[in-house]
Structure formats: C-alpha cells, structure tokens
Amino acid sequence: MKMTPHENTKQFPALAPGPPRMFAPQTSTAVSRPKKNSTACLACKAAKRKCSGPDAPCKACRSTNTECHFDPSRDLRRKVAVKRTIQELTNHKDLLESLLSTLGSADQLQFDKVMDLIRKKAPFQDIAHAVGSPATTFGDPQELSNASKLAILEYGENHIETSGNGVRRPSDPGNIASSPEEIPNMKPPQWPTVSPYARVTLESLCDIPLFEVPAKPWTKVTDDDYLVSHLVSLYFTWDHPCTQFLDQRIFLQHMKLGDRRSEFCTPLLVNSLLSMASTYSDSPDVFSTPENVFSRGQNFFHEAQKLWEVEDDDHDLPNIQALLLMCCVFKCQGRVKKSWMMLSQAVRLAQDIGLFDTPAVSKKKMLPEMERVRTITAWGVFNMSSQMSIELQKIAPLEYPTSDVKLCGNEDFDWTPYPRSNKITYDKKPARLPEVREGLAELTRTLVDVQNLVSEKRRGTNLDELWRKAQDPFDRLTAWLQRWPSVPEIQPNPVPQVLLLRIKCLQAIIHLFEILNDPHQPQSVRQARFYQVKSVEETAQCLRIHRQSYGLKHIPSQIVDAIQTGLRILVPQLEESDESRQAFAELCRFGTALSHRFMQTADVIHEIRKNALHLGVRLPPEVIAIFDDPEQWRSLEP
C-alpha cells in the first residue's frame, strides 16, 4: 500500500521484539526549507525582477538570452563586501597616520609636496604615494560609510565575551552587559594598531644569517645581535657585490672583534651600512614609522648623521666608505642633491689622503692589508662618482686612482641568496667579485670618455662632431658586451652582480645616445632612440632572468636607475613592437616591486601612468594588471 505524506509522519509500534544489537543513537532528519536567494544577477537587478540566484545563467537570463553575471561584492550585507570594506577602511586609516607623520616631520620638501597635492584635491592614491602609505586602493567615502553601518549592524547581532587572554569573541549573550553603565569605568574598545609588516613567518623563524656579528658597541639603535647580523647578511648578499667599496673579509673580521679603535670598522660606518641594508628587509624593527614603507633604516641613518658631525680624522677610510653608503641612502630616498653632496665630500676626503693623483702625497710604507683596502675604496669612489655624474649630467673631474685595480686581489667568496625565501636550499656559486670589480673598472674608464662628450656639448660642439667622437666609446662599450657573458650564457647559472654589470653597460649606451639626441634633428632622434630601445629590451631580458631565479623580493638598489630610465624610454614605443611591450611589462614588474621600498621609484611609476594617459598610449593588459594589483609582485617568487 502506498503511503501518503501525512501517513509517513506517523509513529508505529514494534510488532515484536527484535534481535539484540548494539545501541545506535536515534537521528532525526529536519525538513529542509527552500533557501532564499539573497544575491541577484546584475541583469535582474537592472530589470527589477525576481532572480533564481547563482549559478549563472539564472532562469530569467536563460529565457531572455541575456548575459548573466553575479557580483557578490555589490551586496553590502555579504561577508565578501564586509571584508572589502574593512580593508578599505584600514587603507584610509593607514593613509591618515602616514599623513600626520609626514606633516609632523622636519622634511620641508616633502611637506610642501603633500600640501600641494591636498590643495589640488588630488586622488587619495597620489597622496598615499607621496607620504609612503602602503595603501593603494580607496573606496568611495559614501559607499564606505554605508557599508560600515551595515557591517556594524551585522556584527552587532553577535554578542561578545572575553576569554581568558582578554580577547573578545562572539558567545553567550548572558555574559554581556546591556549598557556601558553596568560596567564600572568602562572605556570604548581600543583595537590594537598592527603594522602590515609585523608578521611572523616560517621564513623568519627558520632564518639563519650568513654572518654573525655583534650589535654592540657599533650602534645605539638596537642591541639585537640577530637583527644586526640579518642586515649585514642582506647587505653583503644583494648590495656589496655590485659596488665593492668595502673589503668584505676585513670589515667582517674587525666588526666581530668589537674594537672601536679599529682602522677598518667604526660606528659611523656600521650605522650607515645598516641603514642601507634595511632597504632589503621587511622586519618591523627597521621601520622608524610602522605605517610608512619608506622609513626603513631611518633610525640607523639618523644615528650615522649624528656620528658624522662629531667624527674625528683618525678613521679616514671608514669615513669615506660611510659617506658613500649615506650617498646611496639619500639616492634611494630620491634626495639627489643631498646624495651628490655626500659623494662630493667622499671625493674630497679621498683626494686629501692621496687615493688619487691629485694632490700628490708622500708614499709611506704600509701593510698589504691597508694597501688593499685603500685600493678598493679608491676604485669605489671613482666608479660611483663617474656613474652618478653621467646620470645627473654633471662634471666630476676626478683622476684615476693611484693603485691599479688588480691590487684589490683575487680573493673570492661563495654566494647564495639570503634569506632563502621559499626554497630550502640553494647551490652555492662563486660570487665572482674580482671579475665584477675589474669589469666595473673597465666600464668606468669608458664612462669618463662619455662624460667628456657632455663637456664638449656644453661648449657648443656641433652635433656631427659629437657623433664622430662618440664612435670610439660606443665601439668600446660594444666590445665590452661581447667579452662579458651574454644573456644566454648567464641564464643557466646567474648571480645578480653579473646581470647587473651587463645592465650597467647597456645603461652607459643609453646615456651616450641621450647626449646625441637633438630634438631639432629628427634623423638624429630616430637613430639615438633605436639604440636606446634595443639597450632597454636587452636590459629587460637580464631582469627576467633575475626574476625567474630570485623573484622580486630582493632587487639590488643599483638596478633602480636602469628601470626608471627604461620605462621613460619605452612609453612612446609601446605600439611599435611586441619586444618593446614585453620589455615594458618586465620593467613594470620591477618598478612596482621597488615602489614599495623607494619613494623615487613610486613617483616614477606614477609619472609613467600619467604620461601614458597624456600621450593616449594603450597600455598592455598585463601592465594594467600589474599596476592595478599592488600585491601581484609579491606572488612572483621563483
């Protein structure tokens, strides 16, 4: 007999006792009710009709052959919208805190820049870039206000209790007072301020610095030996191999000894180095202002500035090295005039102690260790002075160092990426420091001749004569590229300093043709632009190898200028070839990553976007994705 639904719900007595069996708890099945769809597709919302809900297409769209699309974030009652609202409110909070910190600082230039943006009613994104706020997306204020009210109503329905550790969570309504008056001296809830960088990761817990050095007596900023060892390891992994105005072995040896009377290690030098190394670290301990991503290492830098004001004359070599590091820090901050000033002081001090031909000084017999450090420092000053004068189109009449670069020695070290990021082990590779040092010295000699063309152009030499005289340095730069490992040769076993040195030569070619670029002669412009674009495209190939091998988390600071120059060159060329578009996208990846560390790069990225809009250039889709997703670069690890 077929039972009706009503009969199905009756309870029937057992006809006879059943066989003994294990007790099984009874289960009841609740009658399911049809779910109410709280999300309608965009087409049904526009037509104000009932929607059957996800998944697309809904019944109404299917019957009308209409495109069906669901956007849960449009419904402010949903958790995804609440999460988005919380993130956007956090961005506004971070911007406000960074803005107050900037307005209260002593940096008049940055203060004026921010005030100018505020008066012009600039978008929040522009102001965030100017004050170094990590937030890059901001919702509509009215929408955020409405969403905040809905979020409060939604979370207000859940009562809150306090656990043993003081954390309040949804729980029994009986544990909550009905009004503030029921709790003596009750204050509004104070939510802790957490920096977005104050995260404990497995990587940081398992991190073992490459070099163990003490914090004391070298710095007053911290007494944390681990932090100082971490920063020193970062510096000698990512920065030192590309510049080399320190002797790595001698410096580390004397820093470990902790003797402030050392001729090769001083508190001024150590604090300058720690400031520069902080640009490679995400540790919350290196931020002077937790909400400002551009405040890395500022406490160490301020300590170095104080020490420089009272430094004696008994440590000339460490003083020169410290000035070079402070020059690099100012440059990373975008403070070019200050950077050039520090470099000029280093040059004068190096000349005074006889590292160059002028003025001549009596040569005293010195220990091989001292002669080696003097030679390394002299070539470090010479290289940096020549490169920076070309970048800034300045004249820096500096003689060659008195000692040959080969006197720096052939001592090399193993190189391995530090920290290890998402890889457990990396094969150790030769750092190739002597080879890089000699290659850089040869490249700098050619830069001196390129710099002479700047002087001749200022004296009024005609363009045809400049092109004729430029042939020799161009041939030498081309020959240098042919002798140095090519991109396919570097790719199987790359180290950043080898890639960077090739990029520096390509950048020298770009600077050479910038001198020959006369806007009044179209043929000259086309020819110069051709060589510049080809150099930028090869630069992008080198950068791609770096990204594929080591990701975008640690990028040598010496690459910054090449990226900024390359982006400016390629913007007008984006519709010319696929190679240019691919190169531009690669440079954008690096530029976006560096804009989270260096204010100057953040400004350049913003300038590039504005120029593209002004020129009516259609950006490639992958570039738009990079620009619009500030977190995308973090996922591009090797």
Side-chain angles (χ1 to χ4, degrees):
M1 183 179 70
K2 184 177 179 181
M3 292 190 300
T4 64
H6 176 72
E7 293 173 330
N8 192 30
T9 60
K10 293 182 178 180
Q11 298 288 335
F12 291 95
L15 295 179
R21 57 180 176 178
M22 298 294 294
F23 171 77
Q26 293 183 351
T27 59
S28 62
T29 303
V31 178
S32 60
R33 296 181 179 178
K35 293 183 179 180
K36 182 180 179 181
N37 292 314
S38 62
T39 301
C41 70
L42 300 182
C44 289
K45 282 185 176 182
K48 295 184 179 180
R49 66 192 178 205
K50 186 175 181 180
C51 181
S52 61
D55 292 325
C58 69
K59 292 180 180 179
C61 290
R62 195 162 49 240
S63 62
T64 58
N65 197 24
T66 305
E67 183 179 356
C68 187
H69 177 67
F70 288 89
D71 184 4
S73 65
R74 297 285 294 273
D75 185 352
L76 297 178
R77 297 168 297 173
R78 298 179 66 87
K79 290 184 178 180
V80 63
V82 173
K83 289 176 67 177
R84 184 196 64 185
T85 301
I86 292 173
Q87 180 59 52
E88 290 178 347
L89 288 171
T90 302
N91 289 349
H92 280 276
K93 173 180 173 293
D94 290 341
L95 172 60
L96 176 61
E97 292 175 345
S98 299
L99 181 61
L100 293 175
S101 175
T102 300
L103 296 180
S105 69
D107 191 335
Q108 188 63 37
L109 290 175
Q110 190 176 10
F111 177 88
D112 293 340
K113 179 180 178 180
V114 172
M115 290 304 300
D116 184 57
L117 289 171
I118 294 174
R119 292 189 184 102
K120 292 179 179 178
K121 297 182 179 180
F124 286 158
Q125 284 86 347
D126 297 359
I127 300 174
H129 278 301
V131 299
S133 172
T136 56
T137 56
F138 300 92
D140 178 71
Q142 184 60 44
E143 181 183 343
L144 283 177
S145 176
N146 296 337
S148 300
K149 294 174 183 177
L150 285 173
I152 292 171
L153 289 174
E154 177 176 336
Y155 283 96
E157 295 174 359
N158 297 324
H159 299 285
I160 298 175
E161 74 172 0
T162 304
S163 63
N165 59 3
V167 178
R168 306 179 76 212
R169 66 176 185 268
S171 188
D172 181 11
N175 294 333
I176 301 299
S178 59
S179 67
E181 289 76 11
E182 293 184 24
I183 303 179
N185 302 321
M186 177 181 177
K187 297 181 180 179
Q190 300 293 321
W191 300 107
T193 302
V194 181
S195 166
Y197 301 94
R199 295 188 293 262
V200 178
T201 63
L202 183 60
E203 174 187 334
S204 61
L205 292 174
C206 300
D207 179 47
I208 302 176
L210 299 178
F211 310 106
E212 294 184 7
V213 289
K216 300 299 179 183
W218 304 116
T219 181
K220 295 180 181 179
V221 175
T222 180
D223 58 1
D224 187 345
D225 292 344
Y226 166 78
L227 176 63
V228 172
S229 299
H230 165 72
L231 293 175
V232 169
S233 299
L234 283 172
Y235 176 76
F236 282 104
T237 301
W238 301 106
D239 205 277
H240 166 73
C242 306
T243 52
Q244 297 192 58
F245 45 76
L246 287 174
D247 184 291
Q248 178 174 326
R249 179 181 58 80
I250 293 175
F251 172 82
L252 291 172
Q253 176 184 334
H254 283 255
M255 187 177 180
K256 288 178 182 179
L257 292 175
D259 186 357
R260 294 185 58 149
R261 297 169 298 176
S262 167
E263 295 180 286
F264 305 108
C265 185
T266 64
L268 169 61
L269 176 56
V270 170
N271 280 278
S272 301
L273 185 150
L274 295 177
S275 176
M276 188 65 216
S278 295
T279 61
Y280 297 98
S281 176
D282 285 332
S283 169
D285 296 321
V286 304
F287 288 80
S288 62
T289 305
E291 297 83 11
N292 190 338
V293 297
F294 302 132
S295 68
R296 290 177 173 89
Q298 286 301 295
N299 291 334
F300 293 114
F301 189 70
H302 293 153
E303 181 70 15
Q305 287 181 307
K306 293 177 185 177
L307 291 169
W308 171 239
E309 293 174 359
V310 299
E311 188 63 28
D312 55 39
D313 298 331
D314 296 333
H315 300 93
D316 288 326
L317 281 176
N319 288 350
I320 295 170
Q321 295 163 349
L323 287 171
L324 294 178
L325 284 163
M326 293 169 75
C327 164
C328 295
V329 173
F330 273 131
K331 190 177 179 184
C332 291
Q333 294 174 352
R335 304 171 70 179
V336 180
K337 290 184 178 179
K338 287 281 190 181
S339 179
W340 182 257
M341 186 190 311
M342 284 293 175
L343 179 60
S344 300
Q345 291 184 61
V347 169
R348 285 196 297 272
L349 186 53
Q351 290 173 328
D352 289 343
I353 66 173
L355 297 185
F356 300 96
D357 288 337
T358 56
V361 295
S362 59
K363 291 187 177 181
K364 299 179 181 179
K365 188 174 182 180
M366 61 182 70
L367 296 174
E369 189 178 63
M370 176 60 73
E371 185 177 15
R372 171 182 166 85
V373 176
R374 283 173 63 91
T375 303
I376 290 176
T377 305
W379 280 98
V381 173
F382 183 68
N383 293 336
M384 188 174 294
S385 176
S386 300
Q387 291 167 25
M388 197 165 175
S389 60
I390 284 290
E391 292 168 5
L392 301 179
Q393 296 288 292
K394 291 182 177 290
I395 307 299
L398 189 61
E399 300 294 332
Y400 286 96
T402 55
S403 302
D404 188 87
V405 68
K406 293 187 180 296
L407 290 177
C408 296
N410 295 319
E411 184 178 17
D412 198 10
F413 300 90
D414 289 333
W415 186 90
T416 183
Y418 172 81
R420 292 170 177 80
S421 299
N422 60 343
K423 292 192 177 182
I424 299 175
T425 60
Y426 274 103
D427 293 334
K428 292 182 178 180
K429 308 172 184 178
R432 302 175 69 174
L433 296 186
E435 186 179 352
V436 170
R437 190 164 49 228
E438 292 178 18
L440 185 58
E442 183 182 354
L443 188 57
T444 305
R445 290 190 183 99
T446 309
L447 280 178
V448 172
D449 293 338
V450 175
Q451 188 181 31
N452 292 336
L453 291 176
V454 178
S455 304
E456 295 205 20
K457 185 176 182 179
R458 291 182 178 179
R459 288 197 295 266
T461 304
N462 66 68
L463 190 61
D464 291 337
E465 182 66 14
L466 286 176
W467 273 88
R468 186 186 65 79
K469 291 187 174 182
Q471 188 64 51
D472 177 63
F474 178 69
D475 289 342
R476 286 159 58 191
L477 291 171
T478 304
W480 189 98
L481 286 173
Q482 291 172 351
R483 290 194 305 274
W484 194 251
S486 64
V487 173
E489 291 172 340
I490 297 173
Q491 189 165 10
N493 197 28
V495 289
Q497 49 270 26
V498 175
L499 289 166
L500 178 63
L501 201 52
R502 190 168 187 89
I503 290 174
K504 281 186 175 293
C505 185
L506 295 167
Q507 196 177 6
I509 294 175
I510 292 172
H511 289 306
L512 172 63
F513 284 100
E514 191 63 32
I515 299 169
L516 305 174
N517 193 344
D518 188 343
H520 300 293
Q521 298 194 22
Q523 179 65 26
S524 168
V525 172
R526 284 194 297 271
Q527 193 170 357
R529 185 64 63 178
F530 170 81
Y531 287 109
Q532 287 183 323
V533 170
K534 291 301 177 186
S535 297
V536 175
E537 289 174 355
E538 186 173 341
T539 296
Q541 294 175 20
C542 295
L543 293 176
R544 187 176 297 110
I545 294 174
H546 179 97
R547 175 173 58 87
Q548 292 170 348
S549 302
Y550 308 112
L552 292 171
K553 197 167 185 180
H554 296 99
I555 305 170
S557 63
Q558 295 82 2
I559 290 179
V560 170
D561 290 306
I563 292 170
Q564 294 176 170
T565 303
L567 285 171
R568 291 189 176 107
I569 289 173
L570 288 183
V571 167
Q573 308 292 322
L574 286 181
E575 298 179 2
E576 298 296 327
S577 68
D578 290 338
E579 290 78 7
S580 292
R581 285 192 291 273
Q582 292 171 8
F584 186 77
E586 195 64 49
L587 292 174
C588 287
R589 291 187 183 97
F590 278 79
T592 305
L594 288 168
S595 67
H596 292 75
R597 298 180 180 273
F598 304 129
M599 180 179 293
Q600 183 183 15
T601 310
D603 290 340
V604 170
I605 290 292
H606 185 61
E607 172 197 333
I608 294 299
R609 298 189 69 172
K610 289 177 65 176
N611 286 348
L613 183 64
H614 176 72
L615 295 172
V617 175
R618 187 172 60 183
L619 295 176
E622 61 269 29
V623 172
I624 296 174
I626 293 168
F627 282 154
D628 291 345
D629 185 1
E631 294 297 319
Q632 179 172 344
W633 70 274
R634 297 183 185 274
S635 64
L636 295 175
E637 296 296 330

